[in-house]
Amino acid sequence: MSNIPVDPLARIQFLNKQLEDEAFDTTTALITAFRSEKALLAELPAVFEGALESILERLESVAMFSGESCSFSQSDLLAALSIWLEKARSYLEKQLGIEN
């Protein structure tokens, strides 16, 4: 059993709830919230941070070109963010020995 605190799981649950409830006022607020999760990212392998940053960079592109065509769909990127949260939760639960 790992000594990862349960707190990262609470952070994931909180972020997921905010995402589901569309609680972020702007795309910029959403991006800032996820980028500020340094403690959460520290509990995950580096590949998670790279994947998250890729999603966030594409969300930034969508926000910049909201009036013009953009090759990224915001709804698809938000779905990708939800998948990222699920994979992060699953990884942490496995590390903690938590059964689903």
Side-chain angles (χ1 to χ4, degrees):
M1 185 149 171
S2 174
N3 58 356
I4 296 173
V6 177
D7 186 56
L9 291 172
R11 294 301 308 155
I12 288 172
Q13 183 177 1
F14 176 76
L15 288 168
N16 195 47
K17 179 83 171 120
Q18 285 189 302
L19 195 58
E20 287 175 357
D21 293 347
E22 299 177 7
F24 297 102
D25 294 334
T26 64
T27 302
T28 301
L30 179 145
I31 292 166
T32 300
F34 275 82
R35 282 193 176 139
S36 70
E37 289 293 334
K38 300 296 183 198
L40 172 59
L41 290 170
E43 299 294 342
L44 298 167
V47 69
F48 279 89
E49 186 170 7
L52 176 62
E53 190 55 36
S54 176
I55 296 167
L56 296 179
E57 285 175 357
R58 288 180 281 159
L59 275 169
E60 284 177 321
S61 293
V62 169
M64 284 191 307
F65 298 107
S66 62
E68 303 172 26
S69 69
C70 185
S71 60
F72 304 118
S73 159
Q74 184 168 2
S75 61
D76 289 347
L77 291 171
L78 293 175
L81 202 50
S82 291
I83 292 167
W84 183 90
L85 286 165
E86 175 59 28
K87 289 183 182 276
R89 182 194 59 75
S90 179
Y91 172 83
L92 290 170
E93 286 178 347
K94 185 181 246 185
Q95 295 302 306
L96 291 166
I98 298 172
E99 297 291 324
N100 290 343

